[in-house]
Amino acid sequence: MSGKAVAIVGMQWGDEGKGKLVDYCAEKADVVVRYQGGNNAGHTVVAKGKKFKFHLLPSGAPQEKEIVIGNGCVVNPKVLLEEMAMLRAEGIEPKLRISSTAHVIMPYHLLLDGMEESHKGKFKAGTTRQGIGPTYSDKAARFGIRIWDLLDKDILAEKVEKILPLKQYMLSSLGCEETLDFNAIIDVYSDYGQQLRSYITDTATFINNCLDEGKNVLFEGAQGTLLGIDEGMYPFGTSSNASALGVPAGTGVAPTRITSIIGIVKAYTSRVGEGPLPTELLDEVGNQIREQGHEYGTTTGRPRRIGWLDTVAIRYAKMVNQPNGVVVTLLDALADINPLKICTAYEQDGELVDAWPIQAEILAKVTPVYVELPGWGSRTEDEWLEIARQQDMDALPQEMRDYLAKMEELIGIPVYAVSIGPDREATINIKDVF
Ligand code: IMP
C-alpha cells in the first residue's frame, strides 16, 4: 500500500510557524521534503533542547529523518553546506538528497536581487536579498545553472561563459560596480559540486519509490500562500508556488498521490516586505503582539508587520489549498490583548465584499470589517505547557475556545491542532495527520 503524502502549507504571508509543525509531524514521517523557495525561508525548530534555525534544510533534519531538497527549490550551496555543518556539530549526520535539477543561486543573482529591487521603486517586494527572484527568472528563461551542472567543471564553465557577460551588462547598467570573476566562480562552484556530489540525485524517483514502499512523506512549504508567484499578491511576494499547488511541480510527485493538506494559520496576521495589508496594526497593540510573538524575520531580522486575523485572506487560501484541516499557531502571543478583532469581510466603495480581490491595487483600497471578541489575559510559558499536557481543548481558556470557534466558523475548516508555545510539547493535537 502506498505511503501517505501530507503537505503542510502556510495559509497567510509566511512565518505561520510551519517549522515547529513540520518538526512535530515529522515524528511519524519517514521523509521530509522541501518543494519550493530557498534560503529566503527561515524555519525555527526547537528540538533536542536546542533551537535550530534553518533556511534551506527541511525542518525534519534534527530528527534524523530522510530529508529532500526538491527540484522546485533554489539552492545557495554555501548556505546549504553551512547548515549541514551546523547539524554535524550537533552530532547529526544529514540524511540529505538534493534534486539534480534544482537551480543554483549564483553570485550574480545575489547582486541582481538588490539592484533590481532598488530600481523597482514602489513596486519592490522588499525581498530577502538572497537572489531568489533572479534565480527563478533564469530558470524560466532557461538560462539557469542546475545543481547537476556543478558536478562537471567543463559543463559549468561552458554555461557560465555564455551567461556572465549578460549579467555583467545588466549589473553595470543598474549601477553596480562589481566585476564578476569568471575563474573564481567556476573554481568555487565546482568545489561546491564536489562537496555535495554524494547527496545529488533524482529525488522525484526517490520520493515516488518511498511512497510505493509504504513510507510516509511530509512536504514542507516555505513562505505562505499569499506570497506565491501565481496564487499570491503579485508583485509583492516571492517567485515560487508557496501553496499546495507547488508540491507536484516542485517534487515530481503527482497531485493524486497527495493524501492530505494541512494549512497553518497564525492566530493573527504578519508579513515582512512590501504590499497592502488591510488589517495592519500601526499602533501599540501591533507593537505588543510583535514583541510577544517575537515577530522579527529569521532571515533578515526585520520587524514583521502585524495585523488582526484576516479571514477574507484565509478563505482565499482555503480555496487554493483545499486543506483537510488547519493548525492554529501563536495563540499565546495574543496574551493580554483585549478586545481581539477578527476581520470577517472588506468594505470596498461602500459595498461589503467577502472575496479576496486578487489585485494589489484593489486590496490597497479595502477597509476591513471586524468582529470583536474578549481576550484571555496571560499565562506563563509553564502554564501553557501544563495546559498542553492535558491534550484537551477544554483545558484552554474559554475566551480562546470562543476565538477558535469564531475562526472555524468564518473559515469553514476544522482545527486539527493548536500551538500555544514554541516548544514541540506546547501543542494540543486533535487529529493526527498521518
Ligand atoms: P524573496 O522571496 O526574497 O524574493 O522576497 C519576496 C517577498 O517574500 C518579500 O516580501 C519577502 O519579505 C517575502 N518572503 C520571502 N521569504 C519569506 C519567508 O520565509 N517568510 C515571510 N516572508 C517571506
Side-chain angles (χ1 to χ4, degrees):
M1 201 179 71
S2 185
K4 289 190 177 150
V6 176
I8 293 197
V9 297
M11 298 280 283
Q12 293 149 303
W13 281 271
D15 308 312
E16 297 95 348
K18 293 180 293 296
K20 173 186 156 169
L21 261 300
V22 171
D23 171 65
Y24 186 83
C25 299
E27 220 159 305
K28 290 188 183 148
D30 300 293
V31 187
V32 184
V33 183
R34 277 274 311 259
Y35 60 90
Q36 44 75 230
N39 61 306
N40 47 347
H43 291 169
T44 309
V45 179
V46 181
K48 300 194 167 178
K50 271 205 69 102
K51 198 180 225 181
F52 294 88
K53 285 193 183 208
F54 297 117
H55 297 284
L56 190 52
L57 282 177
S59 302
Q63 294 192 46
E64 305 185 46
K65 299 287 171 182
E66 303 273 4
I67 49 176
V68 175
I69 295 178
N71 58 275
C73 296
V74 288
V75 178
N76 181 328
K78 181 169 181 281
V79 172
L80 178 57
L81 288 162
E82 282 166 4
E83 291 193 358
M84 291 164 75
M86 176 181 84
L87 272 183
R88 286 197 191 101
E90 296 300 325
I92 301 167
E93 185 54 40
K95 292 185 194 159
L96 173 68
R97 284 173 177 77
I98 312 162
S99 167
S100 59
T101 60
H103 278 246
V104 181
I105 300 175
M106 300 294 284
Y108 42 84
H109 294 134
L110 292 166
L111 294 169
L112 279 166
D113 199 349
M115 300 309 294
E116 287 176 358
E117 275 279 281
S118 310
H119 184 74
K120 282 180 183 166
K122 74 170 192 176
F123 297 111
K124 73 169 193 268
T127 75
T128 57
R129 310 240 165 172
Q130 301 299 327
I132 307 296
T135 308
Y136 278 113
S137 301
D138 276 359
K139 174 179 177 172
R142 283 139 295 123
F143 220 15
I145 299 295
R146 306 209 287 191
I147 288 280
W148 189 82
D149 298 324
L150 304 183
L151 297 177
D152 185 313
K153 206 167 184 173
D154 292 338
I155 291 176
L156 179 66
E158 204 180 357
K159 293 191 176 176
V160 173
E161 198 178 19
K162 278 269 174 280
I163 298 165
L164 223 51
L166 191 67
K167 299 298 175 191
Q168 187 71 69
Y169 176 75
M170 285 169 74
L171 283 166
S172 306
S173 38
L174 287 168
C176 175
E177 286 168 8
E178 213 152 315
T179 307
L180 299 166
D181 182 339
F182 173 78
N183 290 319
I185 292 175
I186 301 304
D187 285 347
V188 171
Y189 279 73
S190 54
D191 179 56
Y192 289 149
Q194 294 318 310
Q195 292 185 62
L196 293 172
R197 179 176 286 278
S198 60
Y199 302 95
I200 298 170
T201 187
D202 168 5
T203 51
T205 301
F206 171 72
I207 304 166
N208 277 290
N209 285 345
C210 285
L211 288 169
D212 290 344
E213 289 160 18
K215 292 184 176 159
N216 289 334
V217 180
L218 193 63
F219 296 98
E220 170 178 4
Q223 293 85 49
T225 301
L226 306 173
L227 289 173
I229 182 75
D230 284 300
E231 64 281 49
M233 194 41 72
Y234 190 89
F236 302 107
T238 192
S239 313
S240 60
N241 282 111
S243 67
L245 302 177
V247 175
T251 60
V253 172
T256 45
R257 295 209 87 163
I258 298 170
T259 43
S260 57
I261 294 166
I262 308 300
I264 311 293
V265 176
K266 187 184 280 200
Y268 49 92
T269 295
S270 78
R271 78 159 296 168
V272 270
E274 308 298 321
L277 195 62
T279 64
E280 185 161 16
L281 283 162
L282 296 166
D283 56 10
E284 262 318 301
V285 175
N287 292 341
Q288 189 180 338
I289 298 174
R290 181 179 303 108
E291 294 312 312
Q292 292 178 173
H294 311 292
E295 295 289 359
Y296 292 87
T298 316
T299 302
T300 58
R302 286 181 286 182
R304 295 182 185 136
R305 297 161 65 193
I306 304 294
W308 296 117
L309 185 73
D310 183 343
T311 61
V312 181
I314 297 170
R315 284 195 295 269
Y316 168 74
K318 173 193 174 184
M319 179 191 80
V320 171
N321 292 293
Q322 296 294 314
N324 303 70
V326 292
V327 178
V328 184
T329 61
L330 279 129
L331 283 155
D332 52 309
L334 290 179
D336 281 332
I337 309 282
N338 196 18
L340 293 162
K341 294 189 190 180
I342 298 180
C343 168
T344 57
Y346 296 151
E347 210 181 272
Q348 189 193 322
D349 300 327
E351 301 220 348
L352 212 57
V353 281
D354 74 350
W356 181 248
I358 309 281
Q359 312 300 340
E361 287 79 2
I362 299 175
L363 189 69
K365 289 188 190 142
V366 303
T367 308
V369 177
Y370 293 110
V371 60
E372 280 190 12
L373 290 100
W376 44 80
S378 66
R379 308 286 187 281
T380 63
E381 215 167 291
D382 282 347
E383 283 170 333
W384 284 127
L385 272 172
E386 192 43 51
I387 290 173
R389 271 187 208 112
Q390 298 178 49
Q391 287 299 300
D392 181 356
M393 293 291 272
D394 288 344
L396 292 171
Q398 182 61 48
E399 295 84 356
M400 192 182 275
R401 279 153 50 204
D402 292 345
Y403 188 82
L404 287 165
K406 189 66 175 172
M407 187 173 161
E408 226 172 3
E409 174 198 319
L410 287 165
I411 64 177
I413 321 170
V415 172
Y416 274 13
V418 295
S419 169
I420 46 178
D423 283 354
R424 196 190 294 176
E425 290 72 33
T427 312
I428 298 182
N429 195 23
I430 303 157
K431 191 168 167 35
D432 279 338
V433 300
F434 280 111

